[in-house]
Structure formats: C-alpha cells, structure tokens
Amino acid sequence: MDGPERTQEMTDVQAKAEASKCLFCFDAPCQTDCPVGIDAPGFIRRILQQNVQGAYHLIHRENPLPWICGILCPTERLCASRCPRKLMDHAIDIGRLQAYASIDKAQAKISKPSRGTLGNRVAVVGTGPAGLTAISCLARNGFQVVVYEAEGRAGGLITYGIPPYKIDKRRAIQEIENILDQPGISVHLRTRVPDPNELLKEHVAVFVATGIGGEMLDRSVAKFKNVYRATEFLKTLNRTHLQGRPFKRDLGPEVLVIGGGSTALNAAVSIRLLGSPNVTVIYRRTETEMPAWRHEITTARKCGVNFRFLLEPSSFIGDEGKVSHVVFRQTELGELGADGRRKVLARRGKKVEIAASSVILGTGREKRNGLRWLKREKVDESTGRLEGANIFLGGELLRGAGLIVQAVADGKKAAHEIEMLLRGRI
Ligand code: SF4
C-alpha cells in the first residue's frame, strides 16, 4: 500500500527556484481568487528577495493561519486555478510557498502587541478557523476577547477533524496557540455556552462559530455498537494521536464507510492506515459527483480504499448490538436538482447486501444540538448578524461545511462587522 503524501516542506533552494518562476502578473488572479485576498505575487517576490520575514507579514496580515492554510488549501481550485504559468509548465505552488514563509512562525511562540485596548469585551464561542481568525483580528484591533471552547484544546476542525496523516498536528497547534497568546485574550476551555444571549450580559458582542454537529444517526442504527459517526471517529483518532497513545478501537476486517465527502474519505484513509485490510467507501452517486476533492479520492485509491457507487443504505442487519450486514438499494441519477447536483433515484433491481465488521457514517451532518436556540431565518445571511442582537454567526454554522480558508474569510468578516457596530458605523 502506498501511504498518503503530506504536503512536503520546501527547502530554501526549492522556494527560491519556485518563486523565480512567478510572472508577477498585473491584477494577479491568484490574489483575486484567494478567499482572504492574500497578495501572493507580493509575498512570492519577498521570498525571491530572501525577505522571508516580510513575506510572512504580508500573508499574516490577511490570514492568521498561514501555515495551516498553506498545507491544507486546495490551491489548484483556488489561487492557483488561473495561474498563467500553467501554460508553460505548472501553476506556481503557492500553498507550499506560503507554508515555507510561515513555518518558523508556526513553530515558534510569538506574541504581538495589540493596538491598544478599547475596553470592549467581545465573546467568541468556538475556536475553529472562523473563531480563531475573529479572535486574532479583534485582539489586533484592541478589543478584549473572551474565548469559550467546549473541547479541551482549541482549533475545532483543525485539531479534531483533520486526520493526522494530512498535517503535522504539533505545528498546527503551535500556530493556533500563537493566536491565543496575543495580549487581550482570555480563553475558557471545556466551557459550553448553551445560549449565547446570556453572554450579552457581560460582553458587548458575541461571535458564534461552533461549526455544525456530527452525522445524524437514526435510532434504528444508533443501537449498534459498531456503527460510528465519521466526525466522532476522527475526533477520537485525533485525541489519541495528540495524547501520544495508540488508537485501540478494533474495527475488524470489513469496514464500510458511507458517504462521498471529505470527512468520509479522511476516515476511510485513516482506517486503512490503522491496518484494516478492507475499507470500502460507498456512495449513492458516481465518482464524478463526489463532494470530496479529487486529490482526496486519488489518495484514498493509492492507500487501497475500495469504492462502490450508486448504492444507498436501506437497512442494517445484526444482533447482540452489532451490525453484520448492510443492505443497500441500487440508485441511478436523474435530472439536475435545485442544488445543481443530479437527483438520486431508486433503481429497480435486487438489493445488495454487504458484510460489515464496522460501519462509519459520513453523511447527513446536523446542526449542533446545543444550538437549538438558533432560528436560521432570523440571521442576516450577508453579515451573519442575528436580527435585533449583537450576536454574529460564522463559519459552518452560517453556510454549512466548507474550506478552512473560507472559514478564515468568515472570521475576518465577522470581526469587521463587530468593529463597525461597536464604533457606531452601522
Ligand atoms: S497568477 Fe501565478 S504567475 Fe501570476 S502572480 Fe500569481 S502565482 Fe505568479
């Protein structure tokens, strides 16, 4: 089995050689296509001039998670998608150059002075990429930021969702801690906030970015001990990894992973790497419609993950609290639906029964139970602000699952909206 390839670090020589290929385009598409507007030609020029510190500052001005995004961003779909250098040989490797410029900062503890305290206490609930970005921007602009995080570590999706084979967790956590170490920030870990309205008694504004919850489990499925949510599986895997302990859960020889998104594939590859001999991803559409990124599908295949398409679970069979088989109905694709994807239709024909020692469900993520207070129709979708309250929503909570860099953009926007509100400009 070939292992997955983590984004490799660049050496000084490689970075300079790559930077020298940049055409430094006028109106550079790489900057326009970056969700947070990083001046890529600007920082690439600084790398070329061996001013790596300057390159870092240019990136960090727009994105407080530069190393993490440099490693994880699908740049071929974002900043590098229209890079004209592609016509000559290959698009400039902007992600790796960004990671190169940021790596020393991601490793070393840094502390930056804020621009002076305005005295306003702003609460941020959730420390995923959207929350961390808002915290960084607000603290940098002089607000006192009080952070609430339900887990024992900050980072949300970065810490508990992205599997260890994709990113060096130690460095990622250092970059996260660099943000939280800024002056003016106090952090409350293991602290749930059942109703953010309560926080308005002590804070002038609240930004909520707790993400959406795990996959929905029907009661008829939840009774089986060997059926797991993909998000919960990845969280447990990450927890044990961060504690330096081996992952002990035995998933058996036939693991079925149901779903075609990044979370399902992250789980499938991780399970293969843990040594399960047969891991099969089952998806109800075809490979073309899979929401996972192409490179994730390629990695899964390289790692020996099997795929079966046009199958949808219909029932789970087992006894003594354990699933032994899953019955699937066959599907076919119909016309385009309102979401721009082809509809899934039941196909006539025999049902398909597949043996399973464990099942991982990677479909149907639902809103976090603790956020029942939230009524989506009362949210201004353009600003994330709740009608009539100084509460703002962001990240996955506002617009569903997305990229880390999109969550960073959400965090910046929320911090800007809060600042405008508190300065009396809106
Ligand atoms: S689009 Fe490509 S070649 Fe042009 S400035 Fe950006 S990285 Fe350089």
Side-chain angles (χ1 to χ4, degrees):
M1 169 180 72
D2 289 340
E5 282 168 21
R6 225 186 235 170
T7 303
Q8 293 296 311
E9 286 163 22
M10 278 182 173
T11 62
D12 293 344
V13 174
Q14 287 170 331
K16 205 169 168 200
E18 187 68 7
S20 71
K21 292 182 184 169
C22 180
L23 304 173
F24 302 106
C25 310
F26 177 73
D27 232 356
C30 52
Q31 184 169 4
T32 322
D33 293 347
C34 172
V36 290
I38 289 173
D39 177 1
F43 88 73
I44 292 172
R45 190 185 297 281
R46 291 184 185 191
I47 290 174
L48 193 59
Q49 294 163 343
Q50 293 178 301
N51 178 8
V52 180
Q53 180 86 354
Y56 171 77
H57 285 303
L58 209 51
I59 302 164
H60 190 267
R61 204 166 64 186
E62 305 299 342
N63 184 346
L65 296 168
W67 183 79
I68 291 167
C69 287
I71 296 291
L72 294 176
C73 263
T75 50
E76 71 283 2
R77 303 291 290 268
L78 298 169
C79 53
S81 63
R82 293 190 293 140
C83 175
R85 184 74 214 199
K86 242 188 328 197
L87 302 173
M88 298 158 78
D89 43 17
H90 62 267
I92 300 294
D93 199 341
I94 303 170
R96 282 174 75 211
L97 283 171
Q98 179 170 312
Y100 165 80
S102 316
I103 192 161
D104 289 341
K105 299 292 182 189
Q107 285 183 89
K109 272 188 177 285
I110 50 169
S111 194
K112 287 177 280 334
S114 66
R115 275 194 224 150
T117 298
L118 294 177
N120 287 319
R121 278 161 61 91
V122 178
V124 175
V125 186
T127 59
L132 287 167
T133 305
I135 293 164
S136 176
C137 295
L138 289 165
R140 216 188 303 177
N141 289 337
F143 292 93
Q144 284 183 38
V145 189
V146 186
V147 180
Y148 299 90
E149 168 56 55
E151 296 291 339
R153 283 180 190 265
L157 172 73
I158 303 163
T159 304
Y160 293 108
I162 304 292
Y165 74 82
K166 278 193 165 173
I167 192 165
D168 180 336
K169 290 280 171 173
R170 187 182 49 83
R171 281 190 180 147
I173 285 170
Q174 187 62 67
E175 190 163 75
I176 290 164
E177 286 177 357
N178 286 344
I179 292 175
L180 299 177
D181 281 348
Q182 287 180 72
I185 299 172
S186 56
V187 183
H188 302 272
L189 296 174
R190 296 185 186 83
T191 307
R192 288 192 180 278
V193 177
D195 184 351
N197 286 294
E198 291 294 312
L199 293 177
L200 287 176
K201 291 175 188 162
E202 293 182 14
H203 307 81
V204 289
V206 182
F207 177 51
V208 187
T210 45
I212 48 177
E215 295 79 8
M216 246 184 297
L217 273 195
D218 190 87
R219 204 181 292 168
S220 64
V221 177
K223 67 182 181 191
F224 294 115
K225 285 184 290 213
N226 56 343
V227 177
Y228 308 96
R229 293 177 171 92
T231 46
E232 288 302 323
F233 164 78
L234 288 168
K235 191 186 273 188
T236 308
L237 178 72
N238 276 308
R239 273 204 189 115
T240 52
H241 175 81
L242 290 167
Q243 290 163 357
R245 293 190 287 118
F247 184 81
K248 287 211 178 118
R249 190 178 293 165
D250 181 11
L251 298 171
E254 297 285 348
V255 183
L256 302 185
V257 180
I258 299 172
S262 297
T263 308
L265 264 65
N266 287 344
V269 172
S270 301
I271 294 165
R272 268 296 284 151
L273 296 175
L274 287 169
S276 287
N278 291 309
V279 181
T280 306
V281 168
I282 300 183
Y283 181 51
R284 61 192 188 142
R285 292 185 170 92
T286 70
E287 181 169 335
T288 316
E289 287 85 23
M290 282 179 88
W293 297 98
R294 191 105 318 258
H295 68 268
E296 293 173 323
I297 300 169
T298 307
T299 298
R301 285 198 190 285
K302 265 174 77 176
C303 291
V305 171
N306 308 309
F307 286 85
R308 293 190 67 170
F309 298 103
L310 296 170
L311 292 174
E312 187 170 57
S314 127
S315 59
F316 290 66
I317 301 170
D319 54 20
E320 295 178 3
K322 286 190 118 183
V323 162
S324 58
H325 292 80
V326 181
V327 180
F328 293 87
R329 71 174 74 88
Q330 299 189 54
T331 61
E332 59 188 356
L333 298 181
E335 60 198 27
L336 282 184
D339 60 357
R341 303 168 73 198
R342 291 181 68 187
K343 289 181 185 162
V344 177
L345 307 172
R347 201 178 114 199
R348 282 191 188 190
K350 270 178 67 178
K351 290 194 171 171
V352 178
E353 193 173 302
I354 305 179
S357 54
S358 300
V359 179
I360 307 286
L361 288 181
T363 57
R365 289 174 71 202
E366 61 183 3
K367 275 184 198 163
R368 207 170 278 271
N369 287 342
L371 286 179
R372 291 250 163 84
W373 60 274
L374 173 66
K375 294 189 177 55
R376 198 172 171 87
E377 63 277 11
K378 285 192 172 175
V379 180
D380 178 336
E381 295 292 332
S382 64
T383 62
R385 187 177 177 189
L386 241 68
E387 199 178 52
N390 285 359
I391 297 179
F392 294 78
L393 307 182
E396 291 190 334
L397 199 56
L398 186 62
R399 51 157 180 71
L403 295 170
I404 287 179
V405 71
Q406 287 165 336
V408 170
D410 289 345
K412 279 175 76 172
K413 191 158 178 265
H416 175 75
E417 292 290 336
I418 290 170
E419 192 170 352
M420 290 297 103
L421 175 78
L422 299 182
R423 291 186 192 278
R425 295 194 189 144
I426 52 175

